[in-house]
Amino acid sequence: MIDIHSHLLPGVDDGSPSIEVSLPVLERFGRDGVEVLVCTPHLHASEAEALPHDALRERLAELAAAAPPRPELVLGWEIMLDTPGVDLTPRHLHLGYSTAALVEFPRMNVPSSAGEELFRIRSSGVVPVLAHPERYWGCTPEKVMEWRHAGAVIQMDAAMLLGRGNTAKLARELLELGLVDCIASDNHGDARSLAAARDWLMELAAEEQAQLLTHTNPGKLLASEAVIPVPPLSAIEGGMVSRLRELIFRKR
């Protein structure tokens, strides 16, 4: 598996506070089969020009020196699009110096011009990978279709497949409709797991989708290649929702 969204670079945002917290998660990810993990600290687009990139590269090197050999650690960012029109073309703002940049909108206030901003970014030669749209207030499959047509790649959080609320319902609906391109853990030094989503998809006999969502498409993004469309899932049975909850939050 390849996980393109995590907050395990210690002490830089609301994720893991220390190497001691990050290491057990990395060890678990290695056992789960995560081959590459992108550390994506939060970054506001309005502050991108002043990014202390070299200092954070050193922090990543410190973590990698203490961590097990697998997963391989790669640097990226989760860029909050708080200001439109920011130049996101510098490669150090991207996922592993690829052409893809992980971006997000404010959860409770997605701008009406979101599609235009995503199109602007895509037109600049950068592939905007939109993080967890299922968590945005007022999001609908129609909105996600609009953002995809604007050139965005859609990344879903594994944990958002849980629960009985509207967020979980939308997450499953997006998968059923084939509107998700990849899944990531968005781990903050906690129990969240990409492997749980993969295992759940395998139990649904969705081997092709599991491979595309957790390995092939994330790898394509890091290689600056186009993602492959993910076939829609058939309707998800209620009993499988309970199974996914068990898988994601089980103690490893």
Side-chain angles (χ1 to χ4, degrees), residues 32-67:
D32 286 344
V34 178
E35 300 169 352
V36 180
L37 176 76
V38 188
C39 295
T40 53
H42 289 292
L43 172 68
H44 283 75
S46 58
E47 301 171 354
E49 189 172 347
L51 175 68
H53 181 246
D54 290 339
L56 290 171
R57 285 184 63 187
E58 293 177 5
R59 183 70 60 87
L60 182 72
E62 292 174 4
L63 178 60

Side-chain angles (χ1 to χ4, degrees), residues 8-31:
L8 290 171
L9 193 63
V12 297
D13 60 8
D14 63 343
S16 171
S18 67
I19 288 180
E20 290 72 23
V21 171
S22 296
L23 288 182
V25 178
L26 293 173
E27 291 168 357
R28 171 166 56 88
F29 278 17
R31 294 193 301 270

Side-chain angles (χ1 to χ4, degrees), residues 59-213:
R59 183 70 60 87
L60 182 72
E62 292 174 4
L63 178 60
R70 191 175 78 165
E72 175 189 355
L73 301 182
V74 177
L75 189 59
W77 313 94
E78 182 181 14
I79 304 172
M80 172 64 71
L81 299 177
D82 61 328
T83 300
V86 174
D87 180 13
L88 298 183
T89 59
R91 286 293 183 100
H92 68 265
L93 298 175
H94 301 173
L95 298 171
Y97 298 92
S98 68
T99 57
L102 184 68
V103 300
E104 66 173 339
F105 292 112
R107 295 182 194 177
M108 300 301 294
N109 188 27
V110 177
S112 59
S113 59
E116 297 173 13
E117 180 65 3
L118 292 170
F119 180 76
R120 181 196 68 81
I121 294 170
R122 186 67 187 87
S123 297
S124 73
V126 179
V127 177
V129 182
L130 184 59
H132 45 59
E134 69 277 2
R135 293 162 59 179
Y136 300 146
W137 185 85
C139 183
T140 63
E142 291 72 26
K143 278 291 182 184
V144 174
M145 289 179 191
E146 175 190 336
W147 296 334
R148 285 168 60 90
H149 287 319
V153 168
I154 302 300
Q155 177 258 300
M156 174 181 288
D157 280 3
M160 291 299 106
L161 292 169
L162 296 170
R164 300 179 178 84
N166 290 334
T167 297
K169 180 180 177 181
L170 175 60
R172 295 189 291 271
E173 185 176 5
L174 295 177
L175 273 182
E176 290 173 11
L177 294 172
L179 297 178
V180 181
D181 298 294
C182 57
I183 298 176
S185 69
D186 196 3
N187 188 288
H188 280 60
D190 49 42
R192 279 177 269 192
S193 168
L194 178 57
R198 175 203 59 193
D199 294 348
W200 178 69
L201 287 166
M202 296 296 286
E203 290 193 20
L204 286 176
E207 292 88 353
E208 179 183 5
Q209 289 90 341
Q211 179 71 12
L212 287 170
L213 290 164

